Amino acid sequence: MAEDRTAQIRRGVVELAVLELLAQGERYGSQVVDELASQPALALTAGTVYPLLSRLLKAGLIESTWQESPVGPPRKYYRLTGAGRAAHSAQHDAWVAVRDGLDALLKESR
């Protein structure tokens, strides 16, 4: 049951989490997956992250370039566009407002 609840909450914030990583600097796809996995509550599979990256590309929130890799084949790197920075900022502000409101309610109930 707790895992189902965590998965539902995660679905609502996964786009913000990806935009946040890209706001910190460009990354390639598996790097995004690995960094999200470093936070257990945000761990997502590649099967979730890559379709999201594709959707963000189509929406014009991110752009991609191929770059040579020091080991193995070239990698596709993603970075925010101007529209992506604006979307990240708006989503961040919305998240902070929801988080603060919920924190206030939770404090009142203890």
Side-chain angles (χ1 to χ4, degrees), residues 26-101:
E26 72 177 10
R27 287 165 167 74
Y28 54 94
S30 63
Q31 188 177 12
V32 172
V33 173
D34 292 345
E35 289 188 41
L36 290 172
S38 74
Q39 301 293 325
L42 295 175
L44 300 167
T45 65
T48 300
V49 172
Y50 284 100
L52 174 59
L53 290 170
S54 179
R55 187 174 61 76
L56 294 172
L57 272 168
K58 287 178 186 170
L61 301 181
I62 63 174
E63 58 190 9
S64 65
T65 56
W66 287 97
Q67 296 180 25
E68 290 298 321
S69 169
V71 293
R75 294 177 174 160
K76 192 176 202 178
Y77 280 79
Y78 301 90
R79 69 182 152 277
L80 291 182
T81 61
R85 283 188 290 283
H88 170 258
S89 180
Q91 287 185 28
H92 178 270
D93 292 348
W95 171 254
V96 169
V98 169
R99 182 201 63 203
D100 290 351

Side-chain angles (χ1 to χ4, degrees), residues 14-32:
V14 71
E15 183 174 310
L16 175 56
V18 170
L19 291 175
E20 176 60 33
L21 288 175
L22 296 178
Q24 296 171 13
E26 72 177 10
R27 287 165 167 74
Y28 54 94
S30 63
Q31 188 177 12
V32 172

